[in-house]
């Protein structure tokens, strides 16, 4: 998996999109910063489709004079319609950072709410205006990271365990069941469920399914000659039909339709 386009259903249709690595001082809080910049012709709309990572995101947006939003974990395909000219900078939060912003991430599934964080908003807006547009991603991510470092304390041992859970799920292709994760972390499945509920807002099984679906979508898109049954087998699906059902449930289409570019809107 490339890690660059994973989760983006139609990367060729994106406006300028930059992922900025999290600096060490916030490495336990943020996986990366993502910064789209767009300039859409008047009267037109650019629809961007995602099958998001199983994570929460804290976002500063340029629209409406600037605001801060918090995106909870998603359970389905999502989209965003871009118009005019603008930008956003988002932090894909590691689980350890989530309780700072909500004590119940599950209640924010498939929701995007505004937060009153004027210091963060001001720091990022100031950074955005401080130089040329081509350097905006790095400037805004640096300002965002500085705010997080100053306002979020050191993670607890439990929070670090939640980070470890998410890392195992996202990086170990042999993990196909919650019991696999529990075994690697030497914890009970009940402990795993509790960590996922408090720090992610999705159960471990849903996190695993999302990783596999992202990988499957990327393989289907980037390798037109690949046999769908082979993709299903290599990613741990029971069979081709299981992969197809997962695609339909989350993306609203079957793999062959996605491969043809269907449902893009």
């Amino acid at each position: 998996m490339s890690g660059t386009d994973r989760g983006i259903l139609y990367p060729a249709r994106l406006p300028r999109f930059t992922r900025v690595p999290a600096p060490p001082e916030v490495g336990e809080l943020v996986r990366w910063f993502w910064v789209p910049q767009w300039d859409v012709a008047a009267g037109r709309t650019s629809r961007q489709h995602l099958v998001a990572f199983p994570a929460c995101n804290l976002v500063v947006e340029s629209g409406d004079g600037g605001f801060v939003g918090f995106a909870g974990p998603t359970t389905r395909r999502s989209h965003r319609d871009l118009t005019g000219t603008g930008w956003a900078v988002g932090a894909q939060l590691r689980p350890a950072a989530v309780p700072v912003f909500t004590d119940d991430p599950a209640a924010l599934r498939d929701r995007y709410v505004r937060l009153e964080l004027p210091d963060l908003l001001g720091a990022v807006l100031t950074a955005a205006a401080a130089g040329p547009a081509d350097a905006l991603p790095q400037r805004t991510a640096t300002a965002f990271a500085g705010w997080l470092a100053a306002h979020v304390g050191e993670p607890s041992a439990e929070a670090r365990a939640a980070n470890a859970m998410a890392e195992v799920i996202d990086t170990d292709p042999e993990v196909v069941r919650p019991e696999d994760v529990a075994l690697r972390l030497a914890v009970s499945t009940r402990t795993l469920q509790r960590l996922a509920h408090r720090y992610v807002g999705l159960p471990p099984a849903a996190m695993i399914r999302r990783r596999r679906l992202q990988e499957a979508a990327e393989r289907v898109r980037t390798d037109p000659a690949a046999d769908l049954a082979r993709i299903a087998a290599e990613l741990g699906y029971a069979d081709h039909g299981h992969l197809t059902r997962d695609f339909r449930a989350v993306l609203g289409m079957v793999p062959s339709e996605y491969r043809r570019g269907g449902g893009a809107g």
Side-chain angles (χ1 to χ4, degrees):
M1 60 190 154
S2 71
T4 300
D5 293 335
R6 194 173 130 210
I8 301 170
L9 292 181
Y10 302 97
R13 304 176 190 182
L14 275 175
R16 180 179 178 184
F17 183 84
T18 308
R19 278 183 178 158
V20 181
E25 60 267 26
V26 293
E28 291 188 297
L29 305 175
V30 176
R31 187 171 185 185
W32 57 56
F33 295 93
W34 48 269
V35 187
Q37 297 166 269
W38 61 91
D39 187 0
V40 180
R44 298 182 65 96
T45 298
S46 176
R47 174 163 288 189
Q48 309 302 324
H49 297 267
L50 298 172
V51 53
F53 283 78
C56 297
N57 286 264
L58 185 65
V59 189
V60 176
E61 300 211 31
S62 63
D64 296 335
F67 64 91
V68 179
F70 186 89
T74 63
T75 62
R76 56 182 181 263
R77 164 184 172 175
S78 61
H79 70 266
R80 171 75 182 271
D81 289 332
L82 303 179
T83 59
T85 300
W87 56 265
V89 53
Q92 186 182 115
L93 300 178
R94 293 193 186 275
V98 171
V100 175
F101 304 102
T102 176
D103 57 5
D104 187 5
L108 294 176
R109 289 179 189 170
D110 300 313
R111 294 180 59 199
Y112 187 50
V113 297
R114 294 197 183 194
L115 300 182
E116 292 298 323
L117 296 172
D119 291 346
L120 172 60
L121 178 61
V124 172
L125 290 178
T126 298
D134 60 356
L136 181 145
Q138 187 62 61
R139 291 197 312 273
T140 55
T142 297
F144 206 139
W147 184 89
L148 286 167
H151 289 81
V152 180
E154 184 175 344
S156 66
E158 182 182 77
R160 289 191 170 106
N163 279 359
M165 172 194 66
E167 186 72 12
V168 166
I169 288 173
D170 191 65
T171 61
D172 190 339
E174 296 185 1
V175 166
V176 296
R177 304 176 305 154
E179 290 80 4
D180 299 330
V181 186
L183 182 63
R184 281 159 175 74
L185 298 180
V187 299
S188 68
T189 53
R190 181 168 182 170
T191 294
L192 197 72
Q193 296 283 356
R194 179 173 54 79
L195 288 172
H197 179 78
R198 180 178 180 191
Y199 290 92
V200 180
L202 294 172
M207 297 172 68
I208 295 169
R209 287 196 302 271
R210 180 56 55 85
R211 183 210 73 215
R212 291 198 301 174
L213 182 61
Q214 285 184 330
E215 292 178 358
E218 187 172 47
R219 290 277 299 279
V220 168
R221 183 184 72 247
T222 60
D223 190 355
D227 179 70
L228 296 177
R230 179 165 60 85
I231 292 175
E234 291 177 353
L235 293 178
Y237 286 94
D239 52 33
H240 182 191
H242 186 193
L243 171 62
T244 297
R245 288 191 296 273
D246 212 10
F247 253 74
R248 184 182 288 115
V250 178
L251 303 186
M253 69 184 90
V254 299
S256 58
E257 184 183 359
Y258 173 57
R259 176 171 274 171
R260 294 192 301 269

